[in-house]
Amino acid sequence: MGILDKMKSMAGKDKDKSRKMSDAAERQVNQRTGGKYEKQVDSAQQQAEGKLGFGREQGGEGPER
């Protein structure tokens, strides 16, 4: 089971935990790529969260940067 499958199964149960998992995945990708694709990773994260039903508003809560 991949991280997206876990996030999808958690989305209906615990949205806060799903957001934390999403943020952790984003941090790890950014760390591994040296932040080179930070904007693209952030965009992909927002799209995934929106499709899974726990998206955030622009300027709202987000990972600490």
Side-chain angles (χ1 to χ4, degrees):
M1 181 184 268
I3 191 164
L4 290 177
D5 294 326
K6 289 180 184 179
M7 286 170 43
K8 188 174 183 178
S9 69
M10 292 292 301
K13 301 174 189 172
D14 189 350
K15 291 184 182 194
D16 189 47
K17 189 170 184 177
S18 295
R19 286 184 184 112
K20 288 180 183 178
M21 290 172 62
S22 176
D23 291 342
E26 179 187 22
R27 281 191 302 273
Q28 189 166 12
V29 170
N30 284 331
Q31 180 183 16
R32 289 183 181 197
T33 61
K36 185 175 180 180
Y37 304 103
E38 189 172 344
K39 289 180 183 178
Q40 291 89 338
V41 172
D42 186 49
S43 177
Q45 178 193 24
Q46 289 176 10
Q47 289 178 14
E49 287 180 354
K51 289 183 184 233
L52 294 173
F54 59 94
R56 302 172 222 205
E57 298 296 321
Q58 277 297 83
E61 270 182 55
E64 293 136 23
R65 297 176 201 234

Short mmCIF file of all heavy atoms in Angstrom, two decimals:
data_model
loop_
_atom_site.label_atom_id
_atom_site.label_comp_id
_atom_site.label_asym_id
_atom_site.label_seq_id
_atom_site.Cartn_x
_atom_site.Cartn_y
_atom_site.Cartn_z
N MET A 1 0.85 -1.18 0.00
CA MET A 1 0.00 0.00 0.00
C MET A 1 0.90 1.24 0.00
O MET A 1 1.74 1.40 0.86
CB MET A 1 -0.90 -0.03 1.24
CG MET A 1 -1.84 1.14 1.33
SD MET A 1 -2.83 1.18 2.84
CE MET A 1 -4.27 0.33 2.30
N GLY A 2 0.73 2.08 -1.00
CA GLY A 2 1.52 3.29 -1.11
C GLY A 2 0.98 4.41 -0.24
O GLY A 2 -0.10 4.31 0.36
N ILE A 3 1.72 5.51 -0.17
CA ILE A 3 1.32 6.62 0.69
C ILE A 3 0.01 7.24 0.23
O ILE A 3 -0.81 7.64 1.04
CB ILE A 3 2.43 7.68 0.81
CG1 ILE A 3 2.09 8.67 1.91
CG2 ILE A 3 2.66 8.38 -0.52
CD1 ILE A 3 3.22 9.51 2.37
N LEU A 4 -0.23 7.30 -1.09
CA LEU A 4 -1.49 7.86 -1.56
C LEU A 4 -2.67 6.98 -1.17
O LEU A 4 -3.74 7.49 -0.82
CB LEU A 4 -1.46 8.07 -3.07
CG LEU A 4 -0.54 9.19 -3.56
CD1 LEU A 4 -0.55 9.25 -5.07
CD2 LEU A 4 -0.95 10.52 -2.97
N ASP A 5 -2.48 5.66 -1.20
CA ASP A 5 -3.54 4.76 -0.76
C ASP A 5 -3.84 4.96 0.73
O ASP A 5 -4.99 4.96 1.15
CB ASP A 5 -3.16 3.29 -1.02
CG ASP A 5 -3.05 2.98 -2.50
OD1 ASP A 5 -3.82 3.56 -3.29
OD2 ASP A 5 -2.20 2.14 -2.86
N LYS A 6 -2.79 5.12 1.51
CA LYS A 6 -2.97 5.34 2.96
C LYS A 6 -3.68 6.67 3.20
O LYS A 6 -4.58 6.74 4.04
CB LYS A 6 -1.61 5.35 3.67
CG LYS A 6 -0.97 4.00 3.76
CD LYS A 6 0.36 4.08 4.48
CE LYS A 6 1.06 2.73 4.48
NZ LYS A 6 2.37 2.79 5.14
N MET A 7 -3.27 7.72 2.47
CA MET A 7 -3.91 9.02 2.64
C MET A 7 -5.37 8.94 2.25
O MET A 7 -6.23 9.52 2.91
CB MET A 7 -3.19 10.07 1.82
CG MET A 7 -1.86 10.48 2.39
SD MET A 7 -0.84 11.51 1.33
CE MET A 7 -1.96 12.69 0.66
N LYS A 8 -5.67 8.22 1.18
CA LYS A 8 -7.06 8.10 0.71
C LYS A 8 -7.91 7.38 1.74
O LYS A 8 -9.03 7.79 2.02
CB LYS A 8 -7.09 7.36 -0.63
CG LYS A 8 -8.45 7.36 -1.28
CD LYS A 8 -8.38 6.74 -2.66
CE LYS A 8 -9.72 6.80 -3.35
NZ LYS A 8 -9.65 6.23 -4.70
N SER A 9 -7.39 6.31 2.31
CA SER A 9 -8.16 5.57 3.30
C SER A 9 -8.34 6.38 4.59
O SER A 9 -9.35 6.26 5.26
CB SER A 9 -7.52 4.22 3.60
OG SER A 9 -6.31 4.37 4.29
N MET A 10 -7.36 7.22 4.91
CA MET A 10 -7.44 8.04 6.12
C MET A 10 -8.29 9.29 5.92
O MET A 10 -8.81 9.83 6.88
CB MET A 10 -6.04 8.47 6.56
CG MET A 10 -5.15 7.37 7.07
SD MET A 10 -5.70 6.67 8.62
CE MET A 10 -5.67 8.10 9.67
N ALA A 11 -8.42 9.74 4.68
CA ALA A 11 -9.09 11.01 4.41
C ALA A 11 -10.51 11.07 4.98
O ALA A 11 -10.92 12.09 5.50
CB ALA A 11 -9.13 11.29 2.91
N GLY A 12 -11.23 9.99 4.89
CA GLY A 12 -12.59 9.97 5.41
C GLY A 12 -12.64 9.83 6.93
O GLY A 12 -13.64 10.19 7.55
N LYS A 13 -11.58 9.36 7.53
CA LYS A 13 -11.57 9.09 8.96
C LYS A 13 -10.91 10.22 9.76
O LYS A 13 -11.46 10.67 10.76
CB LYS A 13 -10.82 7.79 9.25
CG LYS A 13 -11.41 6.58 8.56
CD LYS A 13 -10.54 5.37 8.77
CE LYS A 13 -11.01 4.22 7.90
NZ LYS A 13 -10.11 3.10 7.94
N ASP A 14 -9.72 10.61 9.36
CA ASP A 14 -8.94 11.56 10.14
C ASP A 14 -8.20 12.51 9.19
O ASP A 14 -7.08 12.24 8.79
CB ASP A 14 -7.95 10.81 11.03
CG ASP A 14 -7.25 11.70 12.03
OD1 ASP A 14 -7.37 12.94 11.92
OD2 ASP A 14 -6.56 11.16 12.92
N LYS A 15 -8.85 13.60 8.84
CA LYS A 15 -8.28 14.53 7.87
C LYS A 15 -7.01 15.18 8.39
O LYS A 15 -6.09 15.44 7.61
CB LYS A 15 -9.31 15.59 7.48
CG LYS A 15 -10.44 15.00 6.67
CD LYS A 15 -11.40 16.05 6.20
CE LYS A 15 -12.52 15.33 5.44
NZ LYS A 15 -13.33 16.22 4.69
N ASP A 16 -6.93 15.44 9.68
CA ASP A 16 -5.73 16.06 10.23
C ASP A 16 -4.52 15.15 10.06
O ASP A 16 -3.45 15.59 9.67
CB ASP A 16 -5.95 16.40 11.71
CG ASP A 16 -4.82 17.24 12.27
OD1 ASP A 16 -4.44 18.23 11.62
OD2 ASP A 16 -4.33 16.92 13.37
N LYS A 17 -4.69 13.87 10.33
CA LYS A 17 -3.60 12.92 10.17
C LYS A 17 -3.23 12.79 8.70
O LYS A 17 -2.04 12.69 8.35
CB LYS A 17 -3.98 11.57 10.74
CG LYS A 17 -2.83 10.60 10.80
CD LYS A 17 -3.16 9.36 11.59
CE LYS A 17 -1.95 8.47 11.71
NZ LYS A 17 -2.23 7.29 12.53
N SER A 18 -4.21 12.83 7.81
CA SER A 18 -3.95 12.76 6.37
C SER A 18 -3.13 13.96 5.92
O SER A 18 -2.21 13.83 5.12
CB SER A 18 -5.25 12.70 5.58
OG SER A 18 -5.94 11.52 5.87
N ARG A 19 -3.45 15.15 6.43
CA ARG A 19 -2.69 16.35 6.09
C ARG A 19 -1.25 16.24 6.57
O ARG A 19 -0.32 16.64 5.87
CB ARG A 19 -3.35 17.59 6.69
CG ARG A 19 -4.61 18.00 5.98
CD ARG A 19 -5.18 19.29 6.55
NE ARG A 19 -6.42 19.59 5.90
CZ ARG A 19 -7.61 19.56 6.51
NH1 ARG A 19 -7.70 19.25 7.78
NH2 ARG A 19 -8.70 19.84 5.84
N LYS A 20 -1.07 15.70 7.77
CA LYS A 20 0.28 15.53 8.30
C LYS A 20 1.08 14.56 7.44
O LYS A 20 2.27 14.79 7.18
CB LYS A 20 0.24 15.03 9.75
CG LYS A 20 -0.22 16.09 10.72
CD LYS A 20 -0.27 15.58 12.14
CE LYS A 20 -0.81 16.66 13.07
NZ LYS A 20 -0.92 16.19 14.44
N MET A 21 0.45 13.49 6.97
CA MET A 21 1.13 12.55 6.08
C MET A 21 1.51 13.23 4.77
O MET A 21 2.61 13.03 4.25
CB MET A 21 0.23 11.34 5.81
CG MET A 21 0.04 10.43 6.99
SD MET A 21 -1.21 9.14 6.71
CE MET A 21 -0.48 8.25 5.37
N SER A 22 0.60 14.04 4.25
CA SER A 22 0.85 14.76 3.01
C SER A 22 2.02 15.73 3.17
O SER A 22 2.89 15.82 2.31
CB SER A 22 -0.42 15.51 2.60
OG SER A 22 -0.21 16.28 1.46
N ASP A 23 2.04 16.43 4.28
CA ASP A 23 3.12 17.37 4.55
C ASP A 23 4.46 16.65 4.69
O ASP A 23 5.48 17.13 4.20
CB ASP A 23 2.84 18.18 5.83
CG ASP A 23 1.69 19.14 5.68
OD1 ASP A 23 1.32 19.46 4.53
OD2 ASP A 23 1.15 19.58 6.72
N ALA A 24 4.45 15.50 5.35
CA ALA A 24 5.68 14.72 5.52
C ALA A 24 6.21 14.25 4.17
O ALA A 24 7.42 14.30 3.91
CB ALA A 24 5.43 13.52 6.43
N ALA A 25 5.31 13.82 3.30
CA ALA A 25 5.72 13.38 1.96
C ALA A 25 6.30 14.55 1.18
O ALA A 25 7.33 14.42 0.51
CB ALA A 25 4.53 12.78 1.22
N GLU A 26 5.67 15.72 1.28
CA GLU A 26 6.17 16.90 0.58
C GLU A 26 7.57 17.28 1.08
O GLU A 26 8.47 17.54 0.28
CB GLU A 26 5.21 18.08 0.77
CG GLU A 26 5.72 19.34 0.08
CD GLU A 26 4.89 20.57 0.38
OE1 GLU A 26 4.19 20.62 1.41
OE2 GLU A 26 4.98 21.52 -0.42
N ARG A 27 7.76 17.28 2.39
CA ARG A 27 9.07 17.60 2.94
C ARG A 27 10.14 16.63 2.46
O ARG A 27 11.26 17.03 2.11
CB ARG A 27 9.03 17.61 4.47
CG ARG A 27 8.42 18.86 5.07
CD ARG A 27 8.63 18.95 6.56
NE ARG A 27 8.07 17.80 7.28
CZ ARG A 27 6.83 17.71 7.72
NH1 ARG A 27 5.98 18.71 7.51
NH2 ARG A 27 6.41 16.64 8.36
N GLN A 28 9.80 15.35 2.43
CA GLN A 28 10.77 14.35 2.02
C GLN A 28 11.15 14.51 0.55
O GLN A 28 12.33 14.43 0.20
CB GLN A 28 10.23 12.94 2.28
CG GLN A 28 11.28 11.88 2.08
CD GLN A 28 10.87 10.55 2.65
OE1 GLN A 28 9.72 10.33 3.01
NE2 GLN A 28 11.80 9.64 2.74
N VAL A 29 10.17 14.75 -0.30
CA VAL A 29 10.47 14.96 -1.72
C VAL A 29 11.35 16.20 -1.90
O VAL A 29 12.34 16.17 -2.63
CB VAL A 29 9.18 15.08 -2.56
CG1 VAL A 29 9.49 15.53 -3.98
CG2 VAL A 29 8.44 13.76 -2.57
N ASN A 30 10.99 17.27 -1.21
CA ASN A 30 11.78 18.50 -1.32
C ASN A 30 13.21 18.30 -0.80
O ASN A 30 14.16 18.83 -1.37
CB ASN A 30 11.10 19.66 -0.60
CG ASN A 30 9.94 20.22 -1.38
OD1 ASN A 30 9.92 20.17 -2.60
ND2 ASN A 30 8.95 20.73 -0.68
N GLN A 31 13.34 17.52 0.25
CA GLN A 31 14.66 17.25 0.80
C GLN A 31 15.50 16.44 -0.20
O GLN A 31 16.66 16.75 -0.45
CB GLN A 31 14.55 16.48 2.12
CG GLN A 31 15.88 16.17 2.75
CD GLN A 31 15.74 15.35 4.02
OE1 GLN A 31 14.69 14.76 4.28
NE2 GLN A 31 16.79 15.30 4.81
N ARG A 32 14.90 15.43 -0.79
CA ARG A 32 15.62 14.56 -1.73
C ARG A 32 15.99 15.27 -3.02
O ARG A 32 16.96 14.91 -3.67
CB ARG A 32 14.82 13.31 -2.03
CG ARG A 32 14.77 12.37 -0.85
CD ARG A 32 14.05 11.12 -1.19
NE ARG A 32 14.00 10.24 -0.03
CZ ARG A 32 13.73 8.95 -0.11
NH1 ARG A 32 13.46 8.40 -1.27
NH2 ARG A 32 13.70 8.23 0.98
N THR A 33 15.20 16.27 -3.40
CA THR A 33 15.49 16.99 -4.65
C THR A 33 16.22 18.30 -4.37
O THR A 33 16.46 19.07 -5.30
CB THR A 33 14.20 17.29 -5.43
OG1 THR A 33 13.34 18.12 -4.64
CG2 THR A 33 13.49 16.02 -5.84
N GLY A 34 16.56 18.55 -3.13
CA GLY A 34 17.26 19.79 -2.79
C GLY A 34 16.39 21.02 -2.97
O GLY A 34 16.89 22.11 -3.15
N GLY A 35 15.08 20.85 -2.96
CA GLY A 35 14.15 21.97 -3.11
C GLY A 35 14.06 22.48 -4.54
O GLY A 35 13.41 23.49 -4.80
N LYS A 36 14.67 21.78 -5.47
CA LYS A 36 14.71 22.22 -6.87
C LYS A 36 13.32 22.31 -7.50
O LYS A 36 13.07 23.16 -8.35
CB LYS A 36 15.58 21.26 -7.68
CG LYS A 36 15.82 21.66 -9.10
CD LYS A 36 16.77 20.72 -9.80
CE LYS A 36 17.01 21.12 -11.23
NZ LYS A 36 17.94 20.21 -11.91
N TYR A 37 12.42 21.44 -7.07
CA TYR A 37 11.07 21.38 -7.66
C TYR A 37 9.99 21.74 -6.63
O TYR A 37 8.88 21.25 -6.69
CB TYR A 37 10.81 19.98 -8.21
CG TYR A 37 11.85 19.55 -9.21
CD1 TYR A 37 12.85 18.65 -8.86
CD2 TYR A 37 11.84 20.06 -10.50
CE1 TYR A 37 13.82 18.27 -9.77
CE2 TYR A 37 12.81 19.69 -11.42
CZ TYR A 37 13.80 18.79 -11.05
OH TYR A 37 14.74 18.43 -11.96
N GLU A 38 10.33 22.62 -5.71
CA GLU A 38 9.43 22.93 -4.60
C GLU A 38 8.05 23.41 -5.06
O GLU A 38 7.03 22.97 -4.55
CB GLU A 38 10.07 23.98 -3.69
CG GLU A 38 9.31 24.20 -2.41
CD GLU A 38 10.04 25.09 -1.43
OE1 GLU A 38 11.25 25.31 -1.60
OE2 GLU A 38 9.39 25.57 -0.50
N LYS A 39 8.01 24.28 -6.06
CA LYS A 39 6.72 24.80 -6.55
C LYS A 39 5.88 23.69 -7.18
O LYS A 39 4.68 23.61 -6.94
CB LYS A 39 6.94 25.93 -7.55
CG LYS A 39 7.45 27.19 -6.92
CD LYS A 39 7.64 28.28 -7.95
CE LYS A 39 8.22 29.52 -7.31
NZ LYS A 39 8.45 30.58 -8.29
N GLN A 40 6.53 22.82 -7.96
CA GLN A 40 5.81 21.73 -8.60
C GLN A 40 5.31 20.73 -7.56
O GLN A 40 4.20 20.21 -7.68
CB GLN A 40 6.70 21.02 -9.62
CG GLN A 40 7.03 21.85 -10.83
CD GLN A 40 8.29 22.69 -10.66
OE1 GLN A 40 8.72 22.99 -9.56
NE2 GLN A 40 8.89 23.07 -11.77
N VAL A 41 6.13 20.45 -6.55
CA VAL A 41 5.75 19.51 -5.50
C VAL A 41 4.57 20.07 -4.71
O VAL A 41 3.61 19.36 -4.41
CB VAL A 41 6.94 19.20 -4.57
CG1 VAL A 41 6.51 18.39 -3.36
CG2 VAL A 41 8.04 18.48 -5.33
N ASP A 42 4.61 21.37 -4.40
CA ASP A 42 3.52 22.00 -3.67
C ASP A 42 2.23 21.95 -4.46
O ASP A 42 1.17 21.63 -3.93
CB ASP A 42 3.89 23.44 -3.34
CG ASP A 42 2.86 24.11 -2.45
OD1 ASP A 42 2.47 23.51 -1.42
OD2 ASP A 42 2.43 25.24 -2.77
N SER A 43 2.33 22.22 -5.76
CA SER A 43 1.15 22.17 -6.63
C SER A 43 0.57 20.75 -6.67
O SER A 43 -0.66 20.57 -6.58
CB SER A 43 1.52 22.63 -8.03
OG SER A 43 0.43 22.53 -8.90
N ALA A 44 1.44 19.77 -6.81
CA ALA A 44 0.98 18.38 -6.84
C ALA A 44 0.33 17.99 -5.52
O ALA A 44 -0.69 17.29 -5.50
CB ALA A 44 2.15 17.45 -7.15
N GLN A 45 0.91 18.44 -4.41
CA GLN A 45 0.33 18.15 -3.10
C GLN A 45 -1.07 18.74 -2.98
O GLN A 45 -2.00 18.08 -2.53
CB GLN A 45 1.22 18.70 -1.99
CG GLN A 45 0.64 18.46 -0.60
CD GLN A 45 1.33 19.27 0.49
OE1 GLN A 45 1.92 20.30 0.23
NE2 GLN A 45 1.26 18.77 1.71
N GLN A 46 -1.23 19.98 -3.40
CA GLN A 46 -2.54 20.63 -3.33
C GLN A 46 -3.57 19.91 -4.18
O GLN A 46 -4.71 19.72 -3.76
CB GLN A 46 -2.43 22.10 -3.74
CG GLN A 46 -1.70 22.95 -2.74
CD GLN A 46 -1.52 24.38 -3.21
OE1 GLN A 46 -2.10 24.80 -4.21
NE2 GLN A 46 -0.72 25.14 -2.50
N GLN A 47 -3.17 19.50 -5.37
CA GLN A 47 -4.08 18.77 -6.26
C GLN A 47 -4.48 17.43 -5.65
O GLN A 47 -5.65 17.05 -5.68
CB GLN A 47 -3.45 18.56 -7.62
CG GLN A 47 -3.34 19.82 -8.44
CD GLN A 47 -2.67 19.58 -9.78
OE1 GLN A 47 -2.50 18.45 -10.22
NE2 GLN A 47 -2.26 20.66 -10.43
N ALA A 48 -3.52 16.71 -5.11
CA ALA A 48 -3.80 15.41 -4.50
C ALA A 48 -4.73 15.57 -3.31
O ALA A 48 -5.70 14.81 -3.16
CB ALA A 48 -2.50 14.73 -4.08
N GLU A 49 -4.45 16.56 -2.45
CA GLU A 49 -5.30 16.78 -1.29
C GLU A 49 -6.72 17.15 -1.72
O GLU A 49 -7.69 16.69 -1.12
CB GLU A 49 -4.72 17.88 -0.40
CG GLU A 49 -3.50 17.44 0.37
CD GLU A 49 -2.93 18.54 1.25
OE1 GLU A 49 -3.40 19.69 1.19
OE2 GLU A 49 -2.00 18.23 2.02
N GLY A 50 -6.84 17.96 -2.74
CA GLY A 50 -8.17 18.34 -3.24
C GLY A 50 -8.95 17.15 -3.75
O GLY A 50 -10.13 16.99 -3.47
N LYS A 51 -8.27 16.28 -4.49
CA LYS A 51 -8.95 15.09 -5.04
C LYS A 51 -9.30 14.09 -3.95
O LYS A 51 -10.28 13.35 -4.08
CB LYS A 51 -8.08 14.43 -6.10
CG LYS A 51 -8.00 15.25 -7.36
CD LYS A 51 -7.21 14.56 -8.43
CE LYS A 51 -7.11 15.49 -9.61
NZ LYS A 51 -7.52 14.91 -10.85
N LEU A 52 -8.52 14.07 -2.88
CA LEU A 52 -8.80 13.14 -1.78
C LEU A 52 -9.81 13.72 -0.79
O LEU A 52 -10.23 13.04 0.13
CB LEU A 52 -7.50 12.77 -1.06
CG LEU A 52 -6.53 11.95 -1.91
CD1 LEU A 52 -5.20 11.77 -1.17
CD2 LEU A 52 -7.12 10.60 -2.28
N GLY A 53 -10.16 14.99 -0.95
CA GLY A 53 -11.22 15.58 -0.14
C GLY A 53 -10.76 16.24 1.14
O GLY A 53 -11.56 16.48 2.02
N PHE A 54 -9.49 16.60 1.25
CA PHE A 54 -9.06 17.32 2.45
C PHE A 54 -8.12 18.46 2.08
O PHE A 54 -7.19 18.79 2.80
CB PHE A 54 -8.42 16.39 3.49
CG PHE A 54 -7.21 15.62 3.02
CD1 PHE A 54 -5.93 16.12 3.22
CD2 PHE A 54 -7.35 14.41 2.39
CE1 PHE A 54 -4.82 15.41 2.80
CE2 PHE A 54 -6.25 13.69 1.96
CZ PHE A 54 -4.98 14.20 2.16
N GLY A 55 -8.43 19.11 0.96
CA GLY A 55 -7.61 20.22 0.49
C GLY A 55 -7.68 21.41 1.41
O GLY A 55 -8.53 21.51 2.29
N ARG A 56 -6.76 22.33 1.21
CA ARG A 56 -6.67 23.54 2.03
C ARG A 56 -6.86 24.75 1.13
O ARG A 56 -6.54 24.73 -0.04
CB ARG A 56 -5.30 23.64 2.68
CG ARG A 56 -4.98 22.47 3.54
CD ARG A 56 -3.55 22.56 3.97
NE ARG A 56 -2.98 21.22 3.87
CZ ARG A 56 -1.97 20.80 4.57
NH1 ARG A 56 -1.37 21.59 5.40
NH2 ARG A 56 -1.53 19.58 4.44
N GLU A 57 -7.33 25.81 1.74
CA GLU A 57 -7.48 27.07 1.01
C GLU A 57 -6.11 27.72 0.85
O GLU A 57 -5.23 27.52 1.67
CB GLU A 57 -8.40 28.03 1.79
CG GLU A 57 -9.81 27.51 1.97
CD GLU A 57 -10.55 27.36 0.67
OE1 GLU A 57 -10.37 28.23 -0.22
OE2 GLU A 57 -11.28 26.38 0.51
N GLN A 58 -5.94 28.50 -0.21
CA GLN A 58 -4.70 29.24 -0.40
C GLN A 58 -4.50 30.17 0.79
O GLN A 58 -5.43 30.83 1.23
CB GLN A 58 -4.75 30.09 -1.67
CG GLN A 58 -4.43 29.36 -2.94
CD GLN A 58 -3.01 28.83 -2.97
OE1 GLN A 58 -2.74 27.77 -2.44
NE2 GLN A 58 -2.12 29.56 -3.58
N GLY A 59 -3.28 30.21 1.31
CA GLY A 59 -2.98 31.08 2.43
C GLY A 59 -3.46 30.53 3.76
O GLY A 59 -3.30 31.16 4.79
N GLY A 60 -4.03 29.34 3.76
CA GLY A 60 -4.52 28.74 4.99
C GLY A 60 -3.42 27.96 5.67
O GLY A 60 -2.23 28.20 5.46
N GLU A 61 -3.82 27.04 6.50
CA GLU A 61 -2.86 26.20 7.20
C GLU A 61 -2.01 25.44 6.21
O GLU A 61 -2.50 24.97 5.19
CB GLU A 61 -3.61 25.15 8.03
CG GLU A 61 -3.94 25.59 9.42
CD GLU A 61 -4.62 24.46 10.15
OE1 GLU A 61 -4.06 23.34 10.21
OE2 GLU A 61 -5.71 24.70 10.64
N GLY A 62 -0.79 25.29 6.52
CA GLY A 62 0.10 24.56 5.63
C GLY A 62 1.34 24.14 6.37
O GLY A 62 1.50 24.45 7.54
N PRO A 63 2.23 23.45 5.69
CA PRO A 63 3.46 23.05 6.34
C PRO A 63 4.32 24.25 6.65
O PRO A 63 4.27 25.26 5.96
CB PRO A 63 4.13 22.14 5.31
CG PRO A 63 3.52 22.49 4.02
CD PRO A 63 2.15 23.02 4.32
N GLU A 64 5.10 24.14 7.70
CA GLU A 64 6.00 25.22 8.06
C GLU A 64 7.11 25.31 7.04
O GLU A 64 7.72 24.31 6.71
CB GLU A 64 6.59 24.97 9.45
CG GLU A 64 5.54 25.07 10.52
CD GLU A 64 5.68 23.94 11.52
OE1 GLU A 64 6.77 23.38 11.63
OE2 GLU A 64 4.69 23.64 12.17
N ARG A 65 7.33 26.46 6.50
CA ARG A 65 8.38 26.65 5.49
C ARG A 65 9.34 27.69 5.94
O ARG A 65 9.11 28.53 6.64
CB ARG A 65 7.76 27.05 4.17
CG ARG A 65 6.88 25.96 3.69
CD ARG A 65 6.20 26.41 2.42
NE ARG A 65 5.05 25.58 2.30
CZ ARG A 65 4.76 24.88 1.23
NH1 ARG A 65 5.51 24.91 0.21
NH2 ARG A 65 3.71 24.14 1.19
#
